[in-house]
Amino acid sequence: MKLGIALSGGGSRGIAHAGVLKALEENNIKPDIIGGTSSGSIVASLYAIGYSPDEIYSLYKENASKLVEINKMPIIFTIGNFIRNKKIKISGLKTGESLEKTYNEIAYKKNIESIKDIKMPIVIPSVSLKDCKEYIFTNIIPDEENKQYITDITVGKAVRASSSFTGVFCPCKYKEHLFIDGGALDNVPVQEVKKQGADKVIAVKFNSDQITKESNVMDMVMKTIDIMGNKVSEEGLELSDFVLTVPTDKTGLLDIDKADKCFKFGYDAVIKNLDEIKRTLK
């Protein structure tokens, strides 16, 4: 049996996926095929390249501060301030160049340049503004005519394209395309993982926090991501064999200071559901 795992987007919460993979491996459950969208693509690509969950966690903590370059002004006001019509100044967008450069360098250390150099089957969705279609960065092209597959792209560029969340990152230019966050059309790429030959698929997504009067704009952004992501992923989630939902504890899109907590959330979510996961995979 070939096991696939599909990792959802979710900003800084994405490091929880490394905790998920660590807990699975410790219980002799190792995926043969992996896919990830947005922040899920970061963990998925590093895992497919050959980094262990602990190494992925360390790399994230080492490099996260380089990737978060956006002004914090947009995230400090609350709904109460918004209702009182206080003026808010919004800063410019991130280019994503630091993310691309960093993950290309990390891939080079494993002698990987293009995504087609990766041995483990991997899928990373993104969406092109040119034709409003989903594109899949992968090392193995399935026999499909209704999707666009790209293999000649660097790991860093693929991750950057899939993670270019509108309103935070500029679109990622690649050849004739301008790519935005893959979560716009496929936040949990279960279907694409199955197309790579997975007999069973574990989908990993995040729990959605409640919005209150004390919630800030980043809380609202994360809530919007969760609503959109869950809606566009309904079909894929139904096709999965097990859906693992990881709690978030109001971790914001760029809230890198909660990495330790998120990693543990992912790990604990597997342990809590381990018996059911094992039954599903029999």
Side-chain angles (χ1 to χ4, degrees), residues 67 69-70 92-100 157 160-161 163-165 168-173 179:
L67 310 179
E69 299 167 350
I70 192 168
L93 305 182
K94 292 167 56 65
T95 66
E97 291 178 357
S98 294
L99 187 151
E100 178 179 348
K157 180 76 76 175
R160 175 184 172 186
S163 303
S164 292
F165 183 75
V168 177
F169 288 92
C170 296
C172 176
K173 182 173 176 57
F179 284 114

Side-chain angles (χ1 to χ4, degrees), residues 63-256:
N63 294 287
S65 61
K66 302 176 186 177
L67 310 179
V68 182
E69 299 167 350
I70 192 168
N71 188 296
K72 291 186 178 180
M73 276 296 295
I75 71 173
I76 63 173
F77 73 94
T78 65
I79 293 177
N81 289 336
F82 180 76
I83 293 173
R84 290 191 291 272
N85 295 317
K86 290 192 174 183
K87 292 182 179 180
I88 303 298
K89 180 180 178 182
I90 304 296
S91 63
L93 305 182
K94 292 167 56 65
T95 66
E97 291 178 357
S98 294
L99 187 151
E100 178 179 348
K101 179 181 178 182
T102 296
Y103 283 90
N104 274 338
E105 291 173 351
I106 292 171
Y108 292 157
K109 292 179 180 178
K110 294 284 189 179
N111 297 315
I112 300 292
E113 180 175 358
S114 171
I115 196 169
K116 64 185 177 183
D117 299 329
I118 300 174
K119 303 301 182 184
M120 182 181 186
I122 182 172
V123 293
I124 297 175
S126 190
V127 177
S128 174
L129 291 177
K130 179 176 182 290
D131 53 15
C132 301
K133 292 182 179 179
E134 179 183 5
Y135 284 74
I136 306 296
F137 307 121
T138 182
N139 50 355
I140 301 173
I141 299 178
D143 186 18
E144 288 286 324
E145 297 181 359
N146 61 336
K147 287 282 184 70
Q148 299 295 320
Y149 293 90
I150 296 174
T151 61
D152 59 338
I153 187 171
T154 63
V155 173
K157 180 76 76 175
V159 167
R160 175 184 172 186
S162 184
S163 303
S164 292
F165 183 75
T166 303
V168 177
F169 288 92
C170 296
C172 176
K173 182 173 176 57
Y174 174 74
K175 295 185 177 180
E176 73 274 20
H177 296 285
L178 284 176
F179 284 114
I180 62 172
D181 196 292
L185 290 178
D186 193 0
N187 198 47
V188 192
V190 174
Q191 291 169 301
E192 292 300 327
V193 169
K194 290 183 76 72
K195 289 176 185 177
Q196 294 292 326
D199 298 301
K200 292 192 175 183
V201 178
I202 296 173
V204 185
K205 69 181 188 71
F206 294 102
N207 194 19
S208 182
D209 289 317
Q210 295 299 313
I211 296 297
T212 68
K213 288 184 178 181
E214 287 71 40
S215 298
N216 61 37
V217 70
M218 195 54 70
D219 294 332
M220 291 184 279
V221 168
M222 297 310 297
K223 185 70 173 182
T224 302
I225 292 173
D226 291 333
I227 292 171
M228 293 172 56
N230 290 335
K231 184 63 178 178
V232 301
S233 300
E234 283 180 352
E235 184 178 354
L237 291 174
E238 290 177 359
L239 291 174
S240 65
D241 297 277
F242 187 86
V243 178
L244 182 69
T245 302
V246 179
T248 64
D249 191 32
K250 293 188 178 297
T251 301
L253 185 71
L254 302 175
D255 199 354
I256 60 175

